[in-house]
Amino acid sequence: MNSAASGTASPLAAADSAASWLRDAAWPLWLEHGVDWARGGFCESLDLQTLQSPAQFRRLRVVARQVFVFSHAHAAGLPRAGDAVELGITFLRDKARAADGGYAQRFALDGAVISDHRDLYDHAFVLLALSSASRLLPAAPLRQEALALLQYLDSQFPHALGGYLESLPPALPRRQNPHMHLLEACLAASEAFGDAIFLQRAGDIVRLFLDRFLDQTHGTLPEFFDEALRPLRENGLYLVEPGHHCEWVWLLDWYQQLAAGKGVADTSTIAGANRGLMSFVDRFGINPQLGTLYDEVVVSGDVHGYGSRLWPQTERLKAEILRPDASPAKIQAAFAALDRYLTPAPRGLWHERLDQTGHASVEPAPASSLYHLTAGIVVSQQHLAKGTVPA
């Protein structure tokens, strides 16, 4: 995927190139080396040279994310991708789901439960996996499991002051991030199954974002909160992740599209929030030397984490296309930034981090990042192909 690196490719051509990289390189490589077909699980990561996974455990979120990934690979016609989706759903049903309706967090390589901790973030991805699998597996049982999971969260995780608990047992700080992914999962479930409850819960989370998470004064999104959803500050400042700004722009737009005509979406408020989020990213979130998003800044605009992980670059693809003031130049810049992680790496893999000068890490490529790559590339290509945004 190097057509975007020069900055001369059109946004649609850059998206098509990225989609070809997924279809022809990344998905086939991870199907061959990232699925533990013998033991019925997914590898946590792959070494860039040996293609072996060093991890001696499995995580619930990786199982769920890989179901999402391979459901898209199946839709693109990749052999065995459907088998990988079925493997993941079988893992969720037979090894991860407990009798009370919750899902364990961590497993040995044979599937035995290591940690029965219940995490909101992980459960959001289980809901996304169930929704994604409905593209190819019988929808009726998946729908029932999705409804049961949402009922479990509603009954076991609600917080009296708004939103959901972080985990069972409860933990601090409270975060916007698990709620963000639960919004994503509810939107996917609404599309997959059609039950009104999923869009209702999505609306609840959007209102929580607008009323409690978003700092209306600065147009920014704090990451961490106290028990009462007040931003956690150090010396009067709180942390901001530009990648999450971008992710919310995509999700708020998606919610608006699904809620259109139902009288539940405040279009002007959402558009204003998206403009504020991306204005902050434009001013403070981009490394001027590399064109990549920083990992962390503080609300004042000062950089807190000078590195640039892969995943924020994938979220930026969607946001640059869907932002109210989208432009071809900004979309091209987002694809060029992503290319810094892909082209130098072995084909089908990536460098997970760049330092502030552009030096790449050589750590194993995490499977969890394939979710971000798949979502960012697929969504951006779909929107650009519609011709409703700059091409």
Side-chain angles (χ1 to χ4, degrees):
M1 183 210 150
N2 55 19
S3 64
S6 66
T8 60
S10 72
L12 181 56
D16 288 344
S17 175
S20 295
W21 175 85
L22 269 182
R23 183 180 61 251
D24 300 333
W27 287 340
L29 183 146
W30 284 85
L31 274 169
E32 181 178 356
H33 299 283
V35 183
D36 187 342
W37 296 101
R39 289 180 288 193
F42 297 112
C43 299
E44 283 284 316
S45 59
L46 292 178
D47 183 272
L48 299 186
Q49 301 304 321
T50 68
L51 300 182
Q52 300 296 307
S53 178
Q56 296 300 304
F57 58 87
R58 308 194 196 283
R59 289 181 298 164
L60 178 63
R61 67 186 60 177
V62 168
V63 176
R65 285 183 171 195
Q66 293 297 67
V67 169
F68 168 87
V69 165
F70 292 125
S71 72
H72 280 287
H74 172 80
L78 266 71
R80 296 205 80 185
D83 294 337
V85 171
E86 191 166 0
L87 179 152
I89 291 297
T90 298
F91 189 102
L92 294 176
R93 288 170 171 168
D94 295 350
K95 298 176 180 178
R97 187 172 59 191
D100 65 355
Y103 290 76
Q105 185 177 47
R106 190 175 288 246
F107 310 86
L109 294 182
D110 63 1
V113 174
I114 296 175
S115 171
D116 196 36
H117 185 79
R118 308 297 171 83
D119 183 85
L120 178 65
Y121 183 100
D122 290 351
H123 282 69
F125 277 103
V126 173
L127 181 57
L128 181 65
L130 297 172
S131 305
S132 303
S134 69
R135 294 188 180 102
L136 63 148
L137 300 180
L142 292 167
R143 172 179 171 270
Q144 290 301 322
E145 290 164 89
L147 289 168
L149 174 54
L150 191 59
Q151 173 59 33
Y152 173 78
L153 294 178
D154 285 347
S155 63
Q156 301 300 315
F157 275 75
H159 193 288
L161 299 181
Y164 293 88
L165 300 169
E166 287 289 314
S167 60
L168 295 178
L172 289 174
R174 300 185 68 190
R175 298 174 296 159
Q176 65 78 27
N177 195 11
H179 295 80
M180 180 187 73
H181 284 296
L182 185 57
L183 170 59
E184 175 189 5
C186 287
L187 293 172
S190 178
E191 287 191 334
F193 306 121
D195 298 83
I197 187 65
F198 295 117
L199 190 57
Q200 290 170 8
R201 286 294 169 274
D204 293 341
I205 297 170
V206 168
R207 284 185 288 275
L208 182 72
F209 167 82
L210 294 171
D211 294 343
R212 305 298 299 274
F213 290 152
L214 183 66
D215 179 348
Q216 302 280 357
T217 301
H218 298 94
T220 50
L221 174 68
E223 285 293 320
F224 303 106
F225 300 82
D226 67 12
E227 185 74 11
L229 289 181
R230 293 180 294 252
L232 290 183
R233 300 172 185 266
E234 184 174 338
N235 298 322
L237 303 175
Y238 57 76
L239 281 177
V240 174
E241 294 190 16
H244 285 149
H245 273 214
C246 293
E247 209 158 355
W248 272 101
V249 167
W250 162 56
L251 291 170
L252 291 170
D253 180 86
W254 187 4
Y255 172 72
Q256 272 196 144
Q257 302 309 313
L258 291 187
K262 298 185 179 355
V264 293
D266 186 339
T267 301
S268 62
T269 301
I270 288 175
N274 281 350
R275 280 192 295 270
L277 291 171
M278 292 308 294
S279 175
F280 187 88
V281 171
D282 291 341
R283 287 180 292 148
F284 305 117
I286 301 173
N287 180 325
Q289 180 178 345
L290 304 179
T292 57
L293 291 192
Y294 289 122
D295 288 338
E296 293 178 335
V297 298
V298 292
V299 65
S300 64
D302 294 323
V303 179
H304 184 266
Y306 279 93
S308 295
R309 287 189 63 187
L310 169 76
W311 73 263
Q313 322 314 319
T314 70
E315 299 306 327
R316 184 181 172 197
L317 298 181
K318 297 177 282 190
E320 292 292 3
I321 292 167
L322 296 171
R323 63 189 293 171
D325 57 343
S327 73
K330 289 180 178 179
I331 298 169
Q332 289 168 316
F335 278 103
L338 178 62
D339 193 66
R340 289 182 173 273
Y341 299 78
L342 306 186
T343 296
R347 187 160 166 78
L349 296 172
W350 52 87
H351 294 292
E352 181 64 12
R353 338 172 170 259
L354 303 180
D355 67 16
Q356 65 190 88
T357 66
H359 183 266
S361 68
V362 293
E363 67 200 88
S368 58
S369 292
L370 190 55
Y371 148 79
H372 286 286
L373 284 158
T374 297
I377 292 169
V378 168
V379 169
S380 61
Q381 185 191 39
Q382 289 174 342
H383 280 282
L384 287 167
K386 291 176 183 176
T388 56
V389 291

